[in-house]
Amino acid sequence: MSKKVAFYTLGCKLNFSETSTIARGFEKEEFERVDFSEEADVYVINTCSVTENADKRFKTIVKQAQKSNPDAFVAAVGCYAQLKPEELAEVDGVDLVLGATEKFKITDYLNDLTKNDRGEVHSCEIEDADFYVGSYAIGDRTRAFLKVQDGCDYKCTYCTIPLARGISRSDTLDNVLNNAREIASQDIKEIVLTGVNIGDYGKGEFGNKKHEHTFLDLVKALDTIDGIHRLRISSIEPNLLKNETIDFVAQSNSFVPHFHVPLQSGSDEILKKMRRRYLSNLYVDRVKRIKEAMPNACIGVDVIVGFPGETDEHFLETYHFLNELDISYLHVFTYSERDNTVAAEMDEVVPKKVRSKRSKMLRGLSAKKRRAFYESQLGSVRTVLFEGENKKGYIHGFTENYVKVKAPWDPSLVNTLHQVELKDIDADGLVRFEFVSSKIMA
């Protein structure tokens, strides 16, 4: 009888793509993949180090696995496993902890599935994480996350990612294109490009710092692949989002008018303390350039509140900066201290209550921005890709420019593209529509 394995992924799209690659490794070893809520012989938890909650949730997830099968073998992999392997190894029920380079070889460590008294740690020095493992995830039938780059050479003062994932390195262009073709052959309509710092694509493509390709080369090459209806850029640093890329996306076959561009603060003083590689005026310039090339583009923004030294004045500077920008939504992160980062040693710590209040204010602004963006799209004809989940009797989908729509559940719509006219905004903030034609586009 084949052994069973279950996976739980915390954190970002990149983690999801890597979990899928690890899972395919188990399938080659003839493990049967089951849902995490089911009884399995091995439970693999892919950890994240970005938010405080990810640390706390880890213990809860281990307990959940033990409840399903007290004798199961529990392995922790991923960013938190690289940063604090000993801490995870101490958690009751954890048998194996694998760092950044070891996680893709997890099946090599599973000769014996006997429970350990304490987690066994295999964690490299992060300097050794200098090779690239390509991966992609098929989260549902409608879209796939394709990893093109890993690691980061930036030294932002609040971030542990370079410590958890190592230097910036890229997949070869041939490899990315082959993975994209493989995804397209599985009738998946949309690919989301992911990485730690994807605008840095090309660096480390050959295991050294030699550049043959750039992010623009990657975008142009992917645009030529048959069978992919939509390509989406997940998140790209403002200083790496070049005019040529914006202009190419504006006229491309497959890339959609949706950009997610991290800002982190609207105050130049705080940006300098964060050691970001741009100031607010560059960010304004990027937003203007996108909107000139694609007036209906959706622009998402990452922002951190409560960074050490952020006064009320700095915060209001950020608030007003964002309020005046032509953006569509915010991802708001409340600053949390991370060991071994420069920011954790900084003075002028912002009280947790103040961080929380600022976060709430920006979430309110995000809701206002999203609604204004949705209102600006009413009456327009867009293409919707419908998703596969029945959510309380409704099917949801996204337009190419990331407007979320809803309609009564109809299984025949799943994973199809339709032209629709956006009509009005429902009480839950989602958009209602009418089909422009009954013809399925794909």
Side-chain angles (χ1 to χ4, degrees):
M1 202 172 77
S2 69
K3 288 194 161 45
K4 293 178 177 175
V5 62
F7 297 88
Y8 197 105
T9 306
L10 290 156
C12 62
K13 295 182 177 90
L14 183 57
N15 270 5
F16 279 92
S17 74
E18 291 181 342
T19 297
S20 287
T21 296
I22 294 165
R24 285 193 282 277
F26 272 92
E27 280 158 20
K28 280 181 188 148
E29 299 293 324
E30 298 185 346
F31 275 78
E32 180 195 340
R33 185 173 180 175
V34 298
D35 191 76
F36 201 82
S37 59
E38 294 175 45
E39 188 177 334
D41 301 284
V42 179
Y43 291 93
V44 179
I45 304 166
N46 194 352
T47 63
C48 165
S49 69
V50 173
T51 61
E52 262 182 316
N53 288 350
D55 316 353
K56 292 170 189 162
R57 281 183 65 197
F58 176 75
K59 289 178 182 168
T60 313
I61 296 155
V62 172
K63 279 189 184 133
Q64 197 182 320
Q66 286 180 303
K67 205 182 257 183
S68 299
N69 179 5
D71 301 321
F73 191 87
V74 177
V77 301
C79 290
Y80 201 53
Q82 174 65 36
L83 287 174
K84 302 220 170 156
E86 302 300 332
E87 205 170 284
L88 293 192
E90 294 289 348
V91 173
D92 189 37
V94 173
D95 300 291
L96 180 66
V97 179
L98 297 181
T101 63
E102 293 81 9
K103 62 188 169 192
F104 295 107
K105 303 179 291 208
I106 181 169
T107 53
D108 297 351
Y109 295 95
L110 299 180
N111 312 327
D112 174 12
L113 294 182
T114 318
K115 294 290 288 174
N116 294 323
D117 293 339
R118 182 186 180 283
E120 190 182 308
V121 173
H122 295 275
S123 173
C124 67
E125 289 301 317
I126 198 59
E127 290 74 25
D128 299 336
D130 57 1
F131 59 89
Y132 186 86
V133 178
S135 51
Y136 65 85
I138 295 162
D140 49 34
R141 274 172 47 207
T142 54
R143 73 166 62 88
F145 301 120
L146 172 59
K147 173 183 164 186
V148 299
Q149 182 275 342
D150 200 350
C152 188
D153 292 342
Y154 287 10
K155 299 283 188 287
C156 300
T157 53
Y158 52 82
C159 186
T160 55
I161 296 289
L163 302 173
R165 285 187 169 271
I167 57 170
S168 179
R169 53 210 190 273
S170 310
D171 207 347
T172 63
L173 190 59
D174 283 349
N175 226 3
V176 173
L177 298 178
N178 286 337
N179 280 340
R181 287 186 194 100
E182 214 171 290
I183 292 165
S185 72
Q186 298 181 50
D187 191 34
I188 285 161
K189 305 286 193 284
E190 182 176 309
I191 291 179
V192 183
L193 302 184
T194 70
V196 174
N197 188 356
I198 63 173
D200 214 17
Y201 176 81
K203 198 184 274 186
E205 196 182 347
F206 303 101
N208 53 32
K209 291 294 176 191
K210 201 173 89 200
H211 267 265
E212 185 172 326
H213 297 106
T214 63
F215 184 66
L216 181 61
D217 294 335
L218 172 75
V219 165
K220 285 181 171 173
L222 282 167
D223 203 46
T224 64
I225 289 183
D226 289 337
I228 300 167
H229 298 273
R230 286 183 176 181
L231 284 154
R232 205 178 285 278
I233 298 167
S234 67
S235 178
I236 184 164
E237 293 283 309
N239 51 306
L240 295 174
L241 178 55
K242 305 296 186 205
N243 289 345
E244 295 80 7
T245 305
I246 294 169
D247 295 344
F248 181 79
V249 167
Q251 53 82 52
S252 86
N253 303 315
S254 316
F255 278 88
V256 294
H258 175 207
F259 293 86
H260 194 93
V261 189
L263 167 69
Q264 311 312 10
S265 176
S267 159
D268 285 347
E269 208 176 311
I270 297 296
L271 286 173
K272 286 174 188 168
K273 286 188 81 172
M274 290 176 164
R275 287 195 203 147
R276 300 292 285 157
R277 297 199 174 191
Y278 54 87
L279 295 174
S280 57
N281 60 352
L282 175 97
Y283 199 91
V284 171
D285 182 68
R286 298 299 76 204
V287 170
K288 278 188 178 154
R289 183 75 186 214
I290 292 167
K291 285 294 190 176
E292 277 163 15
M294 292 161 272
N296 292 304
C298 177
I299 303 175
V301 182
D302 287 342
V303 61
I304 295 171
V305 296
F307 188 79
E310 185 187 62
T311 61
D312 285 346
E313 288 72 27
H314 291 134
F315 171 70
L316 287 173
E317 205 180 331
T318 296
Y319 188 94
H320 294 310
F321 179 80
L322 289 164
N323 194 30
E324 283 160 31
L325 266 186
D326 192 1
I327 54 164
S328 317
Y329 64 89
L330 307 173
H331 278 175
V332 184
F333 297 91
T334 305
Y335 172 75
S336 63
E337 285 76 3
R338 284 278 160 268
D339 288 348
N340 302 317
T341 59
V342 175
E345 307 299 317
M346 287 180 180
D347 299 332
E348 300 177 86
V349 173
V350 178
K352 293 261 170 82
K353 263 187 182 164
V354 176
R355 295 183 210 183
S356 168
K357 185 179 156 200
R358 289 176 186 172
S359 172
K360 205 171 173 182
M361 280 177 72
L362 283 187
R363 289 202 170 100
L365 178 62
S366 179
K368 191 180 97 173
K369 285 282 183 186
R370 194 186 297 269
R371 180 148 191 124
F373 176 63
Y374 282 9
E375 281 173 357
S376 77
Q377 298 303 300
L378 296 181
S380 66
V381 172
R382 298 277 169 242
T383 304
V384 170
L385 173 58
F386 288 99
E387 313 225 309
E389 208 181 325
N390 182 342
K391 291 188 176 169
K392 297 180 179 171
Y394 288 93
I395 190 167
H396 293 163
F398 283 95
T399 64
E400 64 274 40
N401 61 343
Y402 216 54
V403 173
K404 193 172 185 181
V405 304
K406 67 185 280 199
W409 172 251
D410 176 352
S412 72
L413 291 175
V414 171
N415 198 31
T416 61
L417 288 154
H418 288 264
Q419 276 209 315
V420 305
E421 185 182 342
L422 303 179
K423 284 296 193 186
D424 47 57
I425 300 174
D426 218 355
D428 58 4
L430 304 188
V431 176
R432 295 286 200 155
F433 61 86
E434 280 177 12
F435 289 103
V436 170
S437 69
S438 56
K439 185 169 70 72
I440 294 178
M441 298 176 67

